Amino acid sequence: MAEFRVRVSTGEACGAGTWDKVSVTIVGTRGESPPLALDHLGKEFTAGAEEDFEVTLPQDVGPVLLLRVHKAPPALPRPLGPLAPDAWFCRRFQLAPPRGAPLRFPCYQWLEGAGSLVLREGTAKVSWADHHPVLQQQRQEELQARQEMYQWKTYLPGWPHCLDEVTVKDLDLNIKYSTAKNTNFYLRGYSAFTELKIKGLLDRKGLWRSLKEMRRIFSFRTTPAAEYVFEHWREDAFFASQFLNGLNPVLIRRCRYLPKNFPVTDAMVAPVLGPGTSLQAELERGSLFLVDHGILSGIKTNVVNGRPQFSAAPMTLLYQRPGCGPLLPLAIQLSQTPGPNSPIFLPSDDKWDWLLAKTWVRNAEFSIHEALTHLLHSHLLPEVFTLATLRQLPHCHPLFKLLIPHTRYTLHINTLARELLIAPGQVVDRSTGLGIGGFSELIQRNMEQLNYSVLCLPEDIRTRGVEDIPGYYYRDDGMQIWGAVERFVSEMIGIYYPSDMSVRDDRELQAWVREIFSEGFLSRESSGMPSSLETREALVQYVTMVIFTCSAKHSSVSAGQFDSCAWMPNLPPTMQLPPPTSKGQARPEGFIATLPPVNATCDVVIALWLLSKEPGDRRPLGTYPDEHFTEEAPQQSIAAFQSHLAQISRGIQERNRGLALPYTYLDPPLIENSVSI
């Protein structure tokens, strides 16, 4: 006979408690117990409860290896009648044996209906560290079950593969939004939809009557940053600054020589450069920068309200004044083919010519940002990381414990996007200039050139040559956060991997990396994406990239969407007239006729309003309320990581106090751990 004390902790979320009966089987080195009921008089396992139970084993099972948790409906009907299967969110078990220290069994999972769950003691173990055959078998069975539950599919050819589910209703509870988050999400959307419907804007297919009328939609929701955009959107310095700190701060690169298809001359730019210098001198000095939207060249465009839409593939030359002056635009060409029908627009041109050219650039920014920077890099790739983690790493694996907080809700929001955003007839298809066809073509093109170095911020900054351009807060804050994540990951890897050989010998780790390469990067070796990892250093960089992409990178390109688009001329989702082929023709009425129609404007603004703010149930970067790690060493590393992030946040907030437009998208408390909206 062996007496054990079992402590059970139930989650606090809505619906976390259960009326069902719970029992446990204790599995040891010398056998296993029969199911042992956890039962008191009255109701157990209410939300937020932590309860102790005494159980007696009929025989000694030896040192404990596993805990099997069983859940079954009660013998008598529940008080509320025979409802749907009763789900239970179990946080953890603690098992106090007759002798020795208590054992902790992290769970943090939903059990829906009748069923069983096998839990491991909380010490993280790589595959080669599990020597007992029962534990080895448990790892294999867990992964087999998850691989059956979470399967891959091809959504569109040439895209990274994704979860094989059609709607969020089909998702397992462990990857669904919480009730609170789901309710808030739909309430936010409904309130915005209703307001614009009442104003008569949502169904109006015609043109805006004036820029002044556009304020009607702008006023439905506002932020300090959106107000700043409205006040300054025409200014050259603000136009240029958005390449550094706007919602797509990843394209600008130093220009050492002018592309042959962008024939800018000294005479064109002399009014901005001033006397005593030249294009060649500034190229050699490193003060010129280029934003090239060439990937849009020849892209398929959409039909909105029965009218064909238009796109451009502009090139924008920018100049950084000496002495930390503002970055300024020098010249804009709206196509990749110079000639008489593709003039180079200049700040010295007529104000409406120049404003129209800048607006075409901003439309190109919308298309590339939404299709590539946001959807592909910051949603589809994190989904690949999430699915591979669920399919190839068991709960006891240190990398699973490290990464699972950074996958929270990603499969839900991406499945929802395939339902409500990028499906035929939905927002992208009915209200953007490229539609699903253009988005898909863009993603296919970018997948052909996507490189591992682009996903690693330090390498990307070096490759683009923007290490020292002043006022680049995306770079400054991002590099600090990358460094903090890298230090944290390095400490964690050091705890569990004593050598390079230990990395190579971890078959689960190698399967995880291989699946990301094959399913996410379609086995394209030219991507530079590793299909295996050979050293601890390579593993640290890889895991840092995954965490950064799923948290900070997504925040930097998602949280500012509404700020940038609330005043639609700053970020038009489509253009209804073709790009100008000559100068001197632009007029205010032509400018408005080029912009999106009223209903498309409202459609996109509502979507970006929803996608810019977490609908509750937040977990900021470095916040890990689910204690998957039970050992002291990783807990100390987590505390050090949190302290480092707090220090970074204090510096960012101090800097922002001196800025007319604070850059907040990479302030750690405002960064979500995962892609969850």
Side-chain angles (χ1 to χ4, degrees):
M1 302 285 280
E3 299 282 341
F4 281 77
R5 188 171 71 253
V6 182
R7 176 169 292 174
V8 188
S9 176
T10 296
E12 297 178 353
C14 177
T18 182
W19 289 91
D20 284 358
K21 294 301 180 184
V22 176
S23 59
V24 295
T25 296
I26 299 173
V27 181
T29 57
R30 293 198 289 272
E32 61 181 73
S33 74
L36 306 165
L38 304 181
D39 195 9
H40 290 148
L41 288 175
K43 184 180 187 301
E44 299 86 25
F45 315 116
T46 56
E50 190 161 85
E51 300 158 287
D52 288 324
F53 302 88
E54 301 285 342
V55 296
T56 302
L57 277 64
Q59 75 280 343
D60 181 12
V61 298
V64 177
L65 296 173
L66 302 170
L67 195 64
R68 288 202 184 99
V69 182
H70 314 285
K71 178 171 165 288
L76 298 175
R78 296 194 292 269
L80 299 179
L83 302 177
D86 187 17
W88 176 46
F89 186 81
C90 175
R91 297 178 68 210
R92 61 181 172 265
F93 279 78
Q94 182 170 291
L95 196 62
R99 294 174 299 279
L103 304 173
R104 285 185 285 173
F105 294 80
C107 182
Y108 302 105
Q109 295 178 69
W110 287 96
L111 285 81
E112 188 171 16
S116 297
L117 189 64
V118 180
L119 300 181
R120 295 274 301 247
E121 189 274 324
T123 304
K125 292 278 183 70
V126 294
S127 57
W128 44 257
D130 258 349
H131 303 299
H132 198 284
V134 169
L135 297 178
Q136 292 173 352
Q137 182 181 357
Q138 182 273 331
R139 298 178 86 103
Q140 293 173 9
E141 290 176 351
E142 181 187 340
L143 291 180
Q144 286 169 0
R146 285 215 241 119
Q147 287 165 14
E148 290 178 12
M149 177 174 288
Y150 305 116
Q151 298 189 6
W152 296 99
K153 74 174 179 183
T154 299
Y155 181 67
L156 286 171
W159 288 36
H161 298 160
C162 63
L163 177 67
D164 187 12
E165 296 289 3
V166 177
T167 74
V168 292
K169 293 178 182 177
D170 303 324
L171 299 182
D172 170 61
L173 269 180
N174 285 299
I175 58 175
K176 269 187 177 179
Y177 271 3
S178 66
T179 301
K181 195 177 191 80
N182 200 54
T183 302
N184 287 340
F185 177 84
Y186 284 104
L187 284 176
R188 280 172 56 83
Y190 181 75
S191 67
F193 175 90
T194 302
E195 183 165 342
L196 294 179
K197 189 87 170 174
I198 290 171
K199 287 183 175 180
L201 299 176
L202 203 55
D203 300 318
R204 215 177 97 194
K205 295 183 177 181
L207 300 176
W208 291 97
R209 299 185 184 99
S210 65
L211 289 175
K212 183 178 180 181
E213 190 197 24
M214 289 180 198
R215 282 290 287 180
R216 291 185 65 200
I217 183 175
F218 181 64
S219 63
F220 96 100
R221 297 287 187 278
T222 191
T223 65
E227 291 284 355
Y228 186 94
V229 170
F230 172 71
E231 295 293 335
H232 299 275
W233 70 285
R234 296 175 188 253
E235 299 169 10
D236 285 0
F238 178 66
F239 168 80
S241 74
Q242 292 187 86
F243 294 121
L244 299 174
N245 303 311
L247 84 168
N248 195 37
V250 297
L251 290 187
I252 186 170
R253 57 179 59 239
R254 195 178 300 273
C255 184
R256 293 294 185 181
Y257 59 89
L258 280 176
K260 291 181 180 178
N261 61 337
F262 195 14
V264 182
T265 66
D266 281 320
M268 291 177 180
V269 297
V272 177
L273 292 185
T277 189
S278 66
L279 274 172
Q280 188 58 38
E282 297 302 331
L283 287 166
E284 292 172 2
R285 188 177 291 127
S287 61
L288 298 186
F289 297 85
L290 182 68
V291 176
D292 188 350
H293 294 96
I295 196 170
L296 286 165
S297 188
I299 206 79
K300 177 183 177 182
T301 53
N302 196 17
V303 174
V304 175
N305 296 339
R307 291 183 57 178
Q309 305 297 292
F310 298 90
S311 180
M315 307 172 80
T316 305
L317 189 65
L318 301 144
Y319 171 52
Q320 176 61 56
R321 287 188 183 279
C324 292
L327 185 70
L328 293 171
L330 277 179
I332 295 170
Q333 181 177 285
L334 295 180
S335 81
Q336 299 288 305
T337 307
N341 292 326
S342 183
I344 295 176
F345 293 90
L346 307 167
S348 54
D349 290 340
D350 172 82
K351 69 175 184 178
W352 286 103
D353 278 343
W354 181 234
L355 183 62
L356 183 60
K358 289 191 294 181
T359 304
W360 273 103
V361 173
R362 296 300 299 160
N363 169 250
E365 279 282 270
F366 175 92
S367 297
I368 287 186
H369 168 268
E370 293 300 346
L372 303 181
T373 313
H374 187 212
L375 176 58
L376 173 58
H377 296 189
S378 302
H379 275 267
L380 302 184
L381 294 184
E383 179 168 6
V384 170
F385 303 147
T386 298
L387 259 180
T389 298
L390 289 171
R391 288 171 48 85
Q392 301 298 342
L393 300 175
H395 272 84
C396 64
H397 198 291
L399 287 181
F400 181 92
K401 292 172 180 278
L402 180 61
L403 292 171
I404 198 64
H406 302 288
T407 68
R408 184 172 181 254
Y409 297 146
T410 299
L411 297 178
H412 183 109
I413 188 59
N414 281 12
T415 302
L416 194 63
R418 287 187 283 272
E419 279 188 77
L420 302 181
L421 284 178
I422 57 175
Q426 298 295 341
V427 177
V428 168
D429 214 24
R430 66 180 178 242
S431 297
T432 70
L434 300 190
I436 297 301
F439 267 49
S440 185
E441 191 177 347
L442 262 189
I443 287 173
Q444 291 166 1
R445 290 183 184 186
N446 194 239
M447 284 289 287
E448 290 295 321
Q449 56 189 241
L450 182 59
N451 195 276
Y452 182 37
S453 64
V454 172
L455 305 179
C456 298
L457 183 65
E459 289 187 31
D460 180 51
I461 295 295
R462 285 194 297 271
T463 300
R464 292 191 284 118
V466 288
E467 303 96 320
D468 58 357
I469 184 171
Y472 195 6
Y473 308 124
Y474 164 76
R475 173 204 60 208
D476 297 342
D477 300 352
M479 288 292 286
Q480 286 192 86
I481 291 167
W482 179 281
V485 173
E486 186 176 50
R487 184 193 301 180
F488 171 51
V489 169
S490 181
E491 289 179 9
M492 299 294 265
I493 297 302
I495 294 169
Y496 298 102
Y497 292 92
S499 64
D500 291 344
M501 181 67 74
S502 66
V503 172
R504 292 193 289 271
D505 287 348
D506 185 351
R507 63 181 183 273
E508 291 164 346
L509 158 65
Q510 300 298 344
W512 174 68
V513 174
R514 190 164 55 250
E515 185 155 280
I516 291 171
F517 175 70
S518 62
E519 301 290 346
F521 294 82
L522 310 182
S523 299
R524 193 172 55 80
E525 292 188 6
S526 60
S527 68
M529 199 72 187
S531 56
S532 64
L533 295 174
E534 305 296 317
T535 66
R536 292 198 299 176
E537 182 182 10
L539 176 58
V540 168
Q541 182 186 36
Y542 193 91
V543 174
T544 301
M545 177 275 295
V546 169
I547 293 176
F548 185 85
T549 301
C550 294
S551 56
K553 179 65 178 293
H554 176 256
S555 176
S556 70
V557 303
S558 179
Q561 290 178 100
F562 181 75
D563 293 341
S564 294
C565 85
W567 177 243
M568 179 271 289
N570 183 62
L571 198 72
T574 187
M575 300 291 256
Q576 299 202 88
L577 295 178
T581 56
S582 62
K583 297 187 183 185
Q585 306 301 312
R587 300 289 184 272
E589 58 275 14
F591 180 81
I592 290 172
T594 304
L595 293 175
V598 177
N599 62 337
T601 301
C602 295
D603 207 18
V604 171
V605 167
I606 290 172
L608 299 190
W609 161 254
L610 276 173
L611 297 178
S612 296
K613 186 176 176 61
E614 288 289 339
D617 194 8
R618 298 190 63 247
R619 290 191 181 172
L621 181 61
T623 304
Y624 304 126
D626 296 352
E627 296 176 351
H628 290 281
F629 286 102
T630 61
E631 310 99 297
E632 184 177 351
Q635 289 177 346
Q636 289 177 345
S637 293
I638 289 171
F641 179 44
Q642 292 168 338
S643 177
H644 194 175
L645 291 174
Q647 179 185 355
I648 291 170
S649 178
R650 287 192 292 272
I652 289 172
Q653 292 177 24
E654 176 64 29
R655 177 205 65 207
N656 282 345
R657 280 193 277 274
L659 297 179
L661 178 60
Y663 184 75
T664 60
Y665 306 132
L666 285 173
D667 188 2
L670 304 181
I671 298 171
E672 191 72 9
N673 259 335
S674 60
V675 179
S676 61
I677 186 61

